[in-house]
């Protein structure tokens, strides 16, 4: 009996020793290879070719260096507007399932508050921050949020440990000021509490300053997820004067020349096939020679500011990278860089409402001091179309210029490569989750499912494409729609530039969407429209009101919010109505007296 106990004890000690050894080995392995950090950088309104690595004019060495050591995607698609893209990026879900089918600024009253159109992340929608915090990451965000307008909808309610977030679609880059009448102020929140900005605020600098502060002051024993959605290059386009001066004269030849230059570079870089036709121009497009000499100087300067704003963003990305290198975290960090949609076409000099509001709040659109404080910079539709090259049109529309944007992914284990197969904004979240070994399935009760696909097999060379050849991919925002299937795409655009009709393109050979195949291939068009209808029913897409015009809706929404923000305007309007009535009444009386004298 004693001998048996001795044998049992020896066996138990051996088991404990093996178990302890396994546990120690596991801990050692975890220590040797901790989960990678994640940095997601989002540019605002940057086109496919705006950065140096993609053929742009701006000096962007830091983003170019990430591109050179990682995967450069050439067939990546976002949505044509910011909130839907941001929701897709952070959740991996189709925008209609998140609550951001569109953005509040263009939302018609008929859709307000409907499922998918609530303009808030809806119940069951989990963000990357929710998921990563649940597995031990510290989750940090600084920059433009635009996924909810109230304090309780800010990032702290969606998985972020620390955040300094702009609730609005944009704001001034130099101070705490709104940029359109829709907003009364610039709603910045730190951890859900309204916050002020520092005296030396410039948006791109601040985003990195605050992120570095969060990285230094949060729990360094945990890996981090850092989300940096910059304001660059959203309107108002603003940049430091010293950087603007570097681009003096670069755009003096005008937008027609820039379109041709970028088309040639796109061909040289393989972004379009040799001999591909130039993209169609938007209706109402002005040629550079149509402008007066004075206006050409003004518009060339606007592009100089935009290039400087891109470079300034890149400089600050470089500061973040330098911090990560100095702290020994760079080599174990995944970087994702993308843009939320194509270039912004809005003008600030052709809208009476905006011009009146500029006078009210002290903005100017002139040459003197352009890009500095109180300058409301913009590039307008012609430069937007030129910078969207080789795609057609720009932001708001699901044409290639509105949705084909840059995507770069770099990190441990990823070789320098170029990926020419499809990728969607919804694919980023599942890619990151699979990369770090986190569950992509929805363990949380009531969580809505991820609809995107992991790009990791393509990144690691285990697959050539995430999508099968004839697999359907769909984008829809406020009636502007695209459906891709193989080499073909159908697209539909609404007013003010579109006519609501479906068009069919072979985007493999015609990425500029210059030749409509709807009449030549009617059966293919019909089949693809049917596939879109099935998607719309599945995702809860609402039809647009008859005659919907996104520009007119934006103006109306701005007017209604402006009256809410400045209630004294009701008195001004009432006074104007009374004055007009008095003038009309006096004119009527004078005419009546004149008529009586004539009759007599």
């Amino acid at each position: 009996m004693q001998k048996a106990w001795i044998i049992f004890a020896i066996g138990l000690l051996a088991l404990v020793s093996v178990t302890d050894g396994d546990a120690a080995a596991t801990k050692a392995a975890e220590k040797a290879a901790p989960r990678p950090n994640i940095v997601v950088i989002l540019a605002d309104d940057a086109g496919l070719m705006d950065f140096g690595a993609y053929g742009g004019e701006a000096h962007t060495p830091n983003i170019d260096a990430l591109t050179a050591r990682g995967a450069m995607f050439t067939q990546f698609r976002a949505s044509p507007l910011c909130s839907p893209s941001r929701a897709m990026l952070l959740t991996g879900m189709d925008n209609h399932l998140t609550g951001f089918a569109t953005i509040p600024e263009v939302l018609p009253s008929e859709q307000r508050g409907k499922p998918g159109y609530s303009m808030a992340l809806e119940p069951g929608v989990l963000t990357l921050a929710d998921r990563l915090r649940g597995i031990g990451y510290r989750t940090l965000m600084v920059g433009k949020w635009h996924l909810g307008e109230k304090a309780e909808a800010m990032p702290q309610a969606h998985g972020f440990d620390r955040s300094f977030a702009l609730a609005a679609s944009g704001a001034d880059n130099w101070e705490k000021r709104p940029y359109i009448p829709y907003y009364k102020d610039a709603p910045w929140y730190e951890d859900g509490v309204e916050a002020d900005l520092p005296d030396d605020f410039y948006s791109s600098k601040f985003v990195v300053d605050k992120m570095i502060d969060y990285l230094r002051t949060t729990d360094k024993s945990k890996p981090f997820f850092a989300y940096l959605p910059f304001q660059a290059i959203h309107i108002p386009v603003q940049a430091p004067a010293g950087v603007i001066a570097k681009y003096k004269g670069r755009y003096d030849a005008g937008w027609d020349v820039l379109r041709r230059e970028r088309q040639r570079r796109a061909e040289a870089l393989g972004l379009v096939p040799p001999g591909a036709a130039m993209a169609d121009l938007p209706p109402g497009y002005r040629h550079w020679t149509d402008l007066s000499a004075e206006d050409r100087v003004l518009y060339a300067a606007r592009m100089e500011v935009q290039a400087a704003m891109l470079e300034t963003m890149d400089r600050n990305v470089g500061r973040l990278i330098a911090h990560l290198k100095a702290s020994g975290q760079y080599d174990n960090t995944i970087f994702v860089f993308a843009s939320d949609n194509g270039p912004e076409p809005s003008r600030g000099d052709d809208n009476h409402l905006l011009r009146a509001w500029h006078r009210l709040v002290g903005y100017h659109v002139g040459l003197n001091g352009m890009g500095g404080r109180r300058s409301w910079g913009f590039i307008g539709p012609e430069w937007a179309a030129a910078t969207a090259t080789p795609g057609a049109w720009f932001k708001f529309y699901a044409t290639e210029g509105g949705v084909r944007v840059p995507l770069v992914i770099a990190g441990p284990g990823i070789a320098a490569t170029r990926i020419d197969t499809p990728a969607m904004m919804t694919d980023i979240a599942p890619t990151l989750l699979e990369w770090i070994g986190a569950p992509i399935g929805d363990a949380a009760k009531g969580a809505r499912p991820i609809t995107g696909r992991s790009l990791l097999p393509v990144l690691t060379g285990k697959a050539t494409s995430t999508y099968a050849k004839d697999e359907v991919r769909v984008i829809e925002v406020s009636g502007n729609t695209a459906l891709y299937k193989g080499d073909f795409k159908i697209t539909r655009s609404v007013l003010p530039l579109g006519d609501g009709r479906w068009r069919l393109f072979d985007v493999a050979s015609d990425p500029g969407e210059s030749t409509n195949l709807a009449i030549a291939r009617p059966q293919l068009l019909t089949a693809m429209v049917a596939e879109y209808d099935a998607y719309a029913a599945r995702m809860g897409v609402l039809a647009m009101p008859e005659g919907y015009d996104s520009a007119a809706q934006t103006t109306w929404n701005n007017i209604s919010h402006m009256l809410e923000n400045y209630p004294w305007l009701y008195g001004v309007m009432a006074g104007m109505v009374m004055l007009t009535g008095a003038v009309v009444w006096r004119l009527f009386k004078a005419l009546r007296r004149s008529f009586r004298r004539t009759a007599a």
Side-chain angles (χ1 to χ4, degrees):
M1 184 70 175
Q2 187 177 5
K3 185 177 179 180
W5 274 107
I6 291 171
I7 292 171
F8 174 76
I10 292 171
L12 183 61
L13 285 170
L15 179 61
V16 170
S17 176
V18 169
T19 304
D20 286 346
D22 287 346
T26 300
K27 288 181 180 178
E30 288 176 352
K31 189 173 182 180
R35 272 182 163 152
N37 306 305
I38 298 170
V39 172
V40 175
I41 299 166
L42 191 66
D44 200 332
D45 296 350
L48 175 68
M49 295 184 68
D50 275 334
F51 293 88
Y54 282 86
E57 303 80 34
H59 184 59
T60 55
N62 297 292
I63 290 168
D64 297 349
L66 287 177
T67 308
R69 63 175 279 252
M72 174 184 177
F73 287 78
T74 65
Q75 297 295 332
F76 175 66
R77 304 303 193 282
S79 91
L81 283 177
C82 48
S83 295
S85 285
R86 290 157 199 269
M88 293 158 75
L89 166 65
L90 285 176
T91 68
M93 298 166 57
D94 184 277
N95 54 303
H96 300 86
L97 302 179
T98 66
F100 283 96
T102 184
I103 63 173
E105 291 85 345
V106 304
L107 185 71
S109 59
E110 294 89 338
Q111 295 177 346
R112 194 168 294 132
K114 300 290 177 63
Y117 296 76
S118 62
M119 302 299 100
L121 292 174
E122 295 178 350
V125 174
L126 297 181
T127 67
L128 265 173
D130 288 318
R131 296 173 186 273
L132 293 174
R133 183 161 69 175
I135 60 170
Y137 274 73
R138 47 188 165 134
T139 52
L140 315 169
M141 180 267 178
V142 185
K144 173 178 161 180
W145 178 242
H146 204 207
L147 292 174
E149 297 182 347
K150 298 179 180 178
E152 58 269 24
M154 292 299 103
Q156 83 286 345
H158 297 287
F160 286 94
D161 297 323
R162 298 303 312 273
S163 61
F164 205 112
L166 174 66
S169 58
D172 195 276
N173 295 283
W174 291 111
E175 54 190 317
K176 197 172 187 292
R177 292 167 59 84
Y179 83 106
I180 53 174
Y182 189 92
Y183 300 103
K184 187 174 183 179
D185 59 10
W188 284 94
Y189 293 85
E190 185 165 28
D191 301 329
V193 178
E194 285 195 62
D196 290 324
L197 301 174
D199 293 338
D200 65 346
F201 176 80
Y202 177 73
S203 63
S204 292
K205 176 181 179 294
F206 177 77
V207 165
V208 172
D209 283 347
K210 185 56 96 170
M211 182 57 72
I212 290 175
D213 176 57
Y214 285 162
L215 290 169
R216 285 173 172 159
T217 57
T218 52
D219 186 354
K220 295 186 180 64
S221 68
K222 296 179 178 181
F224 65 79
F225 166 48
Y227 174 44
L228 297 93
F230 284 84
Q231 288 178 229
I233 45 178
H234 195 281
I235 51 175
V237 181
Q238 298 165 318
V243 188
I244 296 171
K246 290 180 59 176
Y247 294 93
K248 184 65 178 173
R250 176 62 185 85
Y251 297 98
D252 285 357
W255 46 63
D256 297 310
V257 170
L258 186 70
R259 285 185 76 232
R260 293 193 292 271
E261 288 179 353
R262 288 209 176 184
Q263 183 74 11
R264 285 194 296 268
R265 291 200 294 272
E267 206 170 305
L269 289 167
L271 299 175
V272 297
M278 287 274 283
D280 286 340
L281 295 173
Y285 179 101
R286 297 172 296 176
H287 289 284
W288 188 247
T289 52
D290 295 336
L291 272 61
S292 67
E294 183 181 12
D295 279 346
R296 285 181 216 160
V297 171
L298 195 61
Y299 271 89
R302 288 179 174 137
M303 271 300 291
E304 292 165 9
V305 178
Q306 173 148 304
M309 196 175 187
L310 284 166
E311 177 173 335
T312 306
M313 172 190 166
D314 182 83
R315 289 183 181 186
N316 284 285
V317 169
R319 290 199 305 118
L320 175 67
I321 289 172
H323 169 78
L324 295 177
K325 287 180 176 178
S327 58
Q329 300 174 95
Y330 177 79
D331 290 335
N332 195 37
T333 298
I334 300 166
F335 292 89
V336 176
F337 166 73
S339 177
D340 62 348
N341 46 247
E344 167 66 66
S346 299
R347 288 173 61 179
D349 60 353
D350 66 340
N351 182 302
H352 294 301
L353 172 67
L354 194 58
R355 192 178 297 127
W357 183 78
H358 283 166
R359 288 196 295 268
L360 177 66
V361 300
Y363 271 124
H364 74 86
V365 296
L367 185 62
N368 188 33
M370 185 180 290
R373 292 178 183 270
R374 305 300 172 96
S375 167
W376 200 92
F378 67 93
I379 63 170
E382 292 87 3
W383 280 127
T387 57
T389 304
W393 298 13
F394 30 59
K395 177 180 174 180
F396 291 98
Y397 298 96
T399 50
E400 293 295 270
V403 299
R404 189 183 177 192
V405 293
L407 171 66
V408 175
I409 301 178
I414 301 302
T417 187
R418 174 176 160 144
I419 297 174
D420 297 319
T421 51
M424 306 295 287
M425 188 66 84
T426 49
D427 299 336
I428 292 173
T431 300
L432 293 171
L433 292 170
E434 184 179 9
W435 195 334
I436 65 171
I440 295 179
D442 303 286
K445 187 176 181 181
R448 298 185 183 182
I450 285 176
T451 59
R453 304 284 186 79
S454 172
L455 300 168
L456 194 62
V458 176
L459 288 168
T460 56
K462 295 179 181 178
T464 56
S465 178
T466 300
Y467 293 88
K469 174 68 174 174
D470 289 332
E471 193 167 356
V472 166
R473 295 169 286 126
V474 188
I475 300 165
E476 193 280 342
V477 174
S478 289
N480 291 304
T481 311
L483 181 143
Y484 298 86
K485 185 174 184 180
D487 292 340
F488 294 95
K489 171 188 178 182
I490 57 169
T491 187
R492 178 178 61 186
S493 301
V494 301
L495 294 170
L497 296 185
D499 57 12
R501 296 177 182 175
W502 287 106
R503 286 167 170 77
L504 170 66
F505 301 100
D506 179 346
V507 287
S509 62
D510 180 25
E513 298 170 293
S514 62
T515 302
N516 180 13
L517 302 175
I519 295 176
R521 303 287 300 272
Q523 291 180 328
L524 178 59
L525 175 67
T526 299
M528 292 178 71
V529 170
E531 291 187 280
Y532 170 74
D533 290 339
Y535 158 87
R538 192 166 63 249
M539 297 297 170
V541 179
L542 297 180
M544 303 309 298
E546 187 175 351
Y548 174 81
D549 179 322
S550 61
Q553 187 67 56
T554 301
T555 299
W556 173 250
N557 289 348
N558 270 292
I559 290 172
S560 61
H561 276 73
M562 190 174 178
L563 291 173
E564 290 176 13
N565 297 335
Y566 307 98
W568 53 266
L569 286 174
Y570 283 108
V572 173
M573 291 170 63
M576 290 176 65
V577 169
M578 292 174 65
L579 179 62
T580 302
V583 170
V584 170
W585 177 245
R586 287 187 178 185
L587 181 61
F588 171 74
K589 289 173 67 176
L591 288 171
R592 187 171 62 176
R593 285 196 299 269
S594 176
F595 177 75
R596 285 175 176 172
R597 284 196 297 270
T598 302

